Amino acid sequence: MKKLKFILSVFILLVVVGAQNFEPLQAQTLTATEIIKRSDDNRRGKNSYSEITMTIVRPTWTREIGIKAWSMGTDFSLTLITAPARDRGQAFLKRGRDLWNWQPSINRMIRMSSSIMGQSWMGSDFTNDDLMRESSTVNDYTHRLVGTEKVREFDCYKLILTPKENAAVVWGKVITWISIKDFVEIKSEFYDEDDELVNTINGYDIKSYGNRRLASRMEVVPADRPNQKTVMTVVKFEFDIAIDESFFSQQNMKRVK
């Protein structure tokens, strides 16, 4: 009887200790690259379609841009501007490392070079690279897990991303906080080559989209202009849609709606 009580006591102790240490053990068993990849896979999926409202906020004015976006993996994406009227029909295409911009107002197809990836996208606080994702957080950076931190109500992994040698990236360093529970990007800080903070992006209002949990609102605030920001709000997000590589073409940029 005493032996049975001892075994039960040990079993209960192991269960309690295991429950208390679940998250730290998870943090120990995942590498920094695995965490980044899980977050990236969670955000992208294999194929996806989204409708987004971008709000550019300035001290004296506010502007809204309507966006539809399709993606297939990390190599193919097509982004269509649906509002305002003066920009409607403008489209952006990514095929591998090739980037294109269709401007119907001047009937011109423009090839986008890597030199403009750090420039503002549509006058917002996001860069062309942020939206077109020419660089890959998985492949173009080395990843270092520096610990765990609480950001707002979320327990997060804290990671530092450093560009690989000769990688065509915009940022000199990225510090990102990814939620331990759902691998959602909660906060990211973007630094230039001189290690000066340029932008901070925060993810808010975490929602479920199918079997994924994602931030439904993202805000970017430039470090040198804290009185302005750009907010991206998800209106619709669908994953694992039926789509083919042929959809991502220059011809389709001109006719997609």
Side-chain angles (χ1 to χ4, degrees):
M1 188 68 179
K2 288 182 178 179
K3 185 176 181 180
L4 178 60
K5 287 182 178 179
F6 174 77
I7 292 172
L8 286 173
S9 298
V10 171
F11 175 77
I12 292 169
L13 178 64
L14 288 173
V15 170
V16 172
V17 170
Q20 290 176 341
N21 290 280
F22 175 75
E23 295 299 356
L25 285 172
Q26 185 186 40
Q28 292 170 8
T29 56
L30 288 174
T31 67
T33 298
E34 287 170 338
I35 295 167
I36 292 294
K37 192 173 188 308
R38 286 199 187 190
S39 176
D40 191 71
D41 290 344
N42 181 56
R43 183 176 68 245
R44 296 176 187 270
K46 186 177 180 181
N47 305 322
S48 68
Y49 167 74
S50 59
E51 296 178 11
I52 296 167
T53 298
M54 173 184 281
T55 307
I56 304 171
V57 180
R58 298 295 182 260
T60 58
W61 55 269
T62 299
R63 179 185 179 218
E64 283 196 356
I65 300 175
I67 301 168
K68 290 183 178 180
W70 298 258
S71 71
M72 189 171 75
T74 59
D75 288 330
F76 300 92
S77 68
L78 198 160
T79 304
L80 174 70
I81 306 301
T82 59
R86 67 179 185 183
D87 296 315
R88 186 182 300 131
Q90 189 173 169
F92 298 83
L93 173 68
K94 174 183 178 181
R95 289 183 62 91
R97 290 291 187 181
D98 293 326
L99 304 168
W100 301 89
N101 173 212
W102 165 245
Q103 297 189 13
S105 60
I106 58 175
N107 195 34
R108 186 180 176 189
M109 185 75 69
I110 300 171
R111 183 163 189 165
M112 301 173 67
S113 66
S114 58
S115 63
I116 68 167
M117 285 299 101
Q119 296 179 13
S120 167
W121 189 84
M122 298 293 293
S124 73
D125 297 300
F126 286 95
T127 66
N128 286 307
D129 191 77
D130 293 331
L131 274 297
M132 298 297 292
R133 292 197 180 116
E134 184 194 34
S135 60
S136 165
T137 56
V138 176
N139 299 319
D140 292 333
Y141 292 85
T142 59
H143 317 112
R144 181 161 60 96
L145 177 61
V146 295
T148 58
E149 276 187 11
K150 200 171 188 72
V151 179
R152 301 189 297 276
E153 70 270 33
F154 301 98
D155 293 318
C156 296
Y157 300 110
K158 181 180 179 181
L159 304 104
I160 297 178
L161 282 61
T162 307
K164 293 180 179 178
E165 189 175 358
N166 299 322
V169 300
V170 170
W171 306 111
K173 179 179 72 176
V174 179
I175 302 177
T176 188
W177 289 261
I178 294 172
S179 66
I180 292 173
K181 183 179 179 181
D182 296 312
F183 297 95
V184 177
E185 189 176 330
I186 301 299
K187 177 183 176 181
S188 292
E189 295 177 346
F190 298 83
Y191 294 79
D192 63 19
E193 293 179 349
D194 297 321
D195 208 30
E196 293 289 331
L197 178 62
V198 178
N199 284 335
T200 299
I201 298 180
N202 280 288
Y204 298 102
D205 300 337
I206 311 303
K207 294 182 180 180
S208 295
Y209 299 91
N211 61 351
R212 302 170 189 271
R213 297 275 290 170
L214 296 168
S216 64
R217 178 168 58 90
M218 298 189 72
E219 295 187 1
V220 55
V221 179
D224 61 345
R225 294 182 296 277
N227 61 338
Q228 70 180 51
K229 64 181 177 179
T230 298
V231 182
M232 291 189 68
T233 305
V234 176
V235 178
K236 185 177 185 180
F237 219 143
E238 297 177 352
F239 289 94
D240 302 322
I241 63 171
I243 198 168
D244 188 78
E245 183 179 325
S246 61
F247 178 86
F248 303 94
S249 67
Q250 292 185 29
Q251 292 75 19
N252 202 34
M253 290 174 74
K254 301 177 182 180
R255 60 175 179 250
V256 69
K257 295 182 179 179

